[in-house]
Amino acid sequence: MSDEILIAGAGIGGLFAALSLHRAGLPVRVFEAAPTIEPLGVGINVLPHAVREFDELGLLPALRSQGVACRELAYCTKRGERIWSEPRGLAAGYRWPQISIHRGALQTLLLEAAAKRIGLDRIHLGHRVSEARTAGDEVRLSLVDPEGGRLPDARGRLLVAADGIHSAVRRIFYPDEGPPSWNGAVMWRGVAAAPGYLDGHTMIMAGHPERKFVCYPIGHRAEQPGHQLINFVAERRVEATELEEREDWTRRADPNDFLPLFEGWNFGWLDVPALIRSAESVWIYPMVDRDPLPRWTHGRITLLGDAAHPMYPIGSNGASQAVLDASALTGCLLAHAHDPEAGLARYERARRPSTAQIVKANRGMGPELPMLLVEERAPDGFESLEDVISHEELQSIADHYKQLAGFSVAELNARPSLSDPRTWSDDDD
Ligand SMILES: Cc1cc2nc3c(=O)[nH]c(=O)nc-3n(C[C@H](O)[C@H](O)[C@H](O)COP(=O)(O)OP(=O)(O)OC[C@H]3O[C@@H](n4cnc5c(N)ncnc54)[C@H](O)[C@@H]3O)c2cc1C
């Protein structure tokens, strides 16, 4: 029997898991459905608790050099008035920065590290996992190529399914789950090379749930000094609750479809319509998630990242939670080195309840709740913000979400890496 840990999916979660397990001395093999890894997507945030795990793998310098450290997050009204702002990353007292980065750059960085450390011969592109089962003390995978042709089966000690929101492995255990659920919000996402705004390190959320604009810098272009690559998400909520097309991160859109919704949003310090107009391309994506599962682990197979807990992209948690899963998985398998099934069970106890809480909190708007409250209480503006919402109310919403998502400053700064087996001895649950 092969003692390899098989990983389905070479996205952010799968590649991070491969690197983390490999560093711990556990042999891995990755199967990715796509025939090539293209730098797809737009911006993504890696929160300090996940950056810490990159640091553990020696990847912090690469992450820093590819992205932009986010120092502040500001919530604003649709007129650009500030409701709440808070320091982020190092400025907030964390020992690790928050990094905003292009998803493609992040995936490429992980792939390059994996190629160097693990070897490309263990990363099989164009290998889609179609079936998976536990047989005694091993797992067996059926694999197909991009044309649907059968490839030789794979065998290993465990399977970690990091195959994203449309996970084929999840479907084996939950065949009746159906498509992800949609909350009626449509997101137009793009990246524009534009003059920097504010200090060049600030993430902005403006508006309210019906119409929202989010932007943050994710990089630079040497040939355009004074400009930054600015990621944006323009969001609108519609009445429909059934998707006409399956969501896909690669569906292009026309900026004129949503530009009129934001036409008046020039705040002086940030010109939203100009930013949208300078985007090279725009993609449309619906806001979807799935209900938390009662169980991730079946025999020697478990789920990780979006396959386990797809969540609304609120609070910048999608990629970060996948990274935390991966590190915790390594720590738990090391803590139960002689009993991998106990290791998987420990991993699930560690990660399933906490990620389910985030899925639910994001449905309730998570840390963006003040934007809704201010719009409801003062849709036509205000003289003093204090008349609309108190500082205490704002603080308690922000603190509550940070606690929930596991990124409270003191706790993160004090605890060891999640890949440390001492964190996961059995006595602490
Ligand atoms: C193309 C793409 C673009 C994205 N762009 C953004 C973005 O701009 N902003 C954002 O916030 N989030 C984006 N996401 C989602 C984001 O990457 C995830 O929410 C988060 O990083 C968690 O990562 P994950 O590894 O669990 O899932 P993903 O990053 O979705 O990775 C899943 C991987 O599994 C592969 N796969 C799927 N099915 C199989 C199978 N049966 N067998 C083997 N491999 C399989 C997929 O090709 C993919 O590489 C994008 C996802 C994708 C796939």
Side-chain angles (χ1 to χ4, degrees), residues 175-314:
D176 302 323
E177 203 180 14
S181 46
W182 181 39
N183 72 354
V186 181
M187 297 180 285
W188 290 274
R189 314 172 66 112
V191 178
Y197 60 88
L198 299 177
D199 65 349
H201 293 270
T202 299
M203 179 173 185
I204 298 295
M205 303 213 178
H208 50 86
E210 304 301 310
R211 210 178 298 182
K212 193 171 83 188
F213 190 82
V214 178
C215 65
Y216 50 88
I218 56 169
H220 304 270
R221 255 195 209 139
E223 65 277 17
Q224 283 177 295
H227 281 50
Q228 285 186 304
L229 290 175
I230 298 175
N231 176 78
F232 68 79
V233 186
E235 190 183 314
R236 180 198 192 177
R237 201 173 281 257
V238 294
E239 281 305 312
T241 51
E242 279 201 17
L243 281 171
E244 285 164 21
E245 287 182 72
R246 182 177 122 141
E247 66 291 338
D248 181 341
W249 284 103
T250 55
R251 255 176 69 207
R252 285 187 185 251
D254 182 347
N256 292 314
D257 292 347
F258 63 99
L259 197 48
L261 296 169
F262 297 91
E263 205 50 78
W265 292 37
N266 182 350
F267 307 151
W269 51 271
L270 176 71
D271 186 344
V272 170
L275 194 62
I276 295 173
R277 277 194 200 94
S278 44
E280 280 158 18
S281 25
V282 173
W283 286 267
I284 184 166
Y285 194 82
M287 199 181 280
V288 289
D289 71 358
R290 288 184 185 277
D291 287 335
L293 290 177
R295 199 170 146 194
W296 288 355
T297 304
H298 299 261
R300 291 183 164 239
I301 301 173
T302 198
L303 306 175
L304 180 146
D306 278 5
H309 48 70
M311 51 182 66
Y312 294 155
I314 288 177

